[in-house]
Amino acid sequence: MRAVTVTPGVADSLELVEDQPEPAPEEGAVLVEALAVGICGTDHEIISGQYGEAPPGERRLVIGHESLGRVLEDPTGTLQPGDLVAGIVRHPDPVPCPNCAVGEWDMCRNGRYTEHGIKALPGFARERWRIQPRFAVPLDRSLGQVGMLLEPTSIVAKAWDHIERIGHRAEWQPQTVLVTGAGPIGLLAALLASQRGLAVHVLDLATSGPKPDLVRALGATYHSVPVDQLDFEPDVVVECTGAPSVVLDVMYKAAPNGIVCLAGVSSGGRSIELDAGALNRALVLENNVVFGSVNANRRHWDIAAEALRRADQLWLGSLISRRVPVSGYADAYASGPDDIKVVLEFAV
Ligand SMILES: [Zn+2]
């Protein structure tokens, strides 16, 4: 069968292979026909050779971690043939650490977890894949065109779960949210904020393209000014750019008792000047919390599936800039200037 693969660590080794073996039964009881995979920055970084790890004993890695498929068979009876599913990306480490032992693989302590399409497990960009029922997340039938957004939505569902847990350390009545960065993660973070009834502001550099309208369609306010020029102090910030100056600015900008969730990954290697004492003062004297958030566990995936079911399907569909059939995979993995989310389609 066909699969999109790379040789990990070798730049530009992306290749559509025709002779990928059928998924092994050990991969899980649920056999799934791939419908589509979403493409993100992680895929681009793997393709450029920055990281990625083939399964033990193999040279190539099937990529793809934002999955949408249709169940072909599930002898365990957990899912029915025809059900829409997405596969959870991360599997717990084998030790397991205290967090993985209770299903919190998103909080793995030892880094020995594995991830489909990224780290030692084959990805979902192949015509058929298998998965254990506990890693298969059912999707409402209405999500047949957009269900591959579940993986990025799980990331922001975890971020919101932790924001709320932190908020409830004291009386908490948040009103205003600032999301920095209007890529897929930022837009989905804004969607979840709007579903919570909060006043949502999204900040991004873009002044043209689809981002401003996508934000306004949520009933949110779009800004393309520097953070320090905003005329309000957000109760919650979800930082999705990873841009060092934005990261620092939002820490100062948060309201008293504010919560800053860092969900963007910086590349590092560039220094900017920082008055660490002033930043410490700003955080301590206002009880502010700054925390990082990555990945998601089964609970977050289920919360995300419900959030997508409740969302406007047309709005979700408009996040998808291009849908490319698998035969045009090279085009799908080349990023365009106005791309929000590009999707590689298998069976349609
Ligand atoms: Zn672990």
Side-chain angles (χ1 to χ4, degrees):
M1 63 178 182
R2 290 181 296 175
V4 183
T5 67
V6 297
T7 304
V10 178
D12 303 320
S13 57
L14 186 71
E15 186 187 346
L16 179 67
V17 300
E18 304 278 344
D19 57 351
Q20 177 72 24
E22 290 292 325
E26 306 85 77
E27 293 182 38
V30 187
L31 178 64
V32 180
E33 169 191 34
L35 296 177
V37 293
I39 295 170
C40 80
T42 297
D43 297 300
H44 291 131
E45 288 167 5
I46 291 171
I47 291 165
S48 71
Q50 292 178 45
Y51 52 87
E53 182 183 331
E58 293 179 32
R59 197 175 56 87
R60 299 193 72 86
L61 170 71
V62 178
I63 60 171
H65 57 279
E66 301 184 0
S67 61
L68 174 65
R70 190 185 289 126
V71 173
L72 291 172
E73 60 178 49
D74 178 8
T76 71
T78 312
L79 293 155
Q80 300 304 315
D83 283 354
L84 293 178
V85 282
I88 290 179
V89 177
R90 187 178 289 189
H91 286 220
D93 79 77
V95 177
C97 76
N99 293 82
C100 286
V102 296
E104 291 180 351
W105 49 72
D106 58 316
M107 303 292 284
C108 182
R109 290 287 306 272
N110 62 27
R112 292 180 60 191
Y113 56 80
T114 51
E115 291 178 328
H116 284 285
I118 302 170
K119 189 170 182 278
L121 289 177
F124 301 111
R126 45 182 170 157
E127 289 181 284
R128 283 170 292 285
W129 38 271
R130 284 185 172 274
I131 197 144
Q132 298 169 36
R134 69 182 180 125
F135 296 114
V137 184
L139 284 157
D140 191 82
R141 284 182 182 281
S142 62
L143 296 166
Q145 293 297 309
V146 293
M148 76 298 286
L149 296 173
L150 184 61
E151 193 276 342
T153 308
S154 76
I155 304 297
V156 296
K158 186 231 178 128
W160 274 107
D161 176 45
H162 284 212
I163 288 165
E164 284 160 352
R165 285 164 186 250
I166 293 165
H168 289 298
R169 69 196 155 140
E171 176 61 23
W172 194 51
Q173 296 181 16
Q175 294 180 341
T176 310
V177 178
L178 171 65
V179 176
T180 48
I185 293 287
L187 289 166
L188 291 166
L191 168 69
L192 268 60
S194 72
Q195 288 181 339
R196 284 160 172 74
L198 299 165
V200 184
H201 297 261
V202 178
L203 181 143
D204 192 282
L205 289 175
T207 51
S208 60
K211 291 176 177 179
D213 286 342
L214 283 166
V215 167
R216 288 184 203 111
L218 288 175
T221 309
Y222 189 83
H223 304 268
S224 48
V225 297
V227 171
D228 60 7
Q229 288 179 25
L230 296 173
D231 62 358
F232 63 95
E233 291 188 330
D235 298 308
V236 174
V237 179
V238 186
E239 204 300 303
C240 305
T241 70
S245 62
V246 179
V247 170
L248 273 181
D249 285 351
V250 295
M251 291 187 200
Y252 283 108
K253 195 67 183 176
N257 302 355
I259 301 171
V260 176
C261 172
L262 303 180
V265 184
S266 309
S267 47
R270 247 185 64 229
S271 300
I272 57 173
E273 204 164 303
L274 160 69
D275 182 340
L279 178 59
N280 177 69
R281 252 184 102 77
L283 297 176
V284 171
L285 296 179
E286 295 198 334
N287 292 295
N288 286 3
V289 174
V290 178
F291 78 102
S293 182
V294 71
N295 205 259
N297 65 42
R298 171 79 202 221
R299 193 165 50 83
H300 304 126
W301 281 77
D302 289 329
I303 293 169
E306 176 59 15
L308 287 186
R309 189 192 63 76
R310 286 173 52 207
D312 177 348
Q313 303 304 310
L314 283 176
W315 186 84
L316 292 174
S318 59
L319 296 185
I320 296 166
S321 321
R322 295 187 287 136
R323 294 175 184 270
V324 182
V326 67
S327 55
Y329 73 101
D331 186 38
Y333 286 93
S335 37
D338 278 338
D339 283 345
I340 305 252
K341 174 62 68 187
V342 177
V343 164
L344 187 68
E345 291 191 320
F346 285 81
V348 241

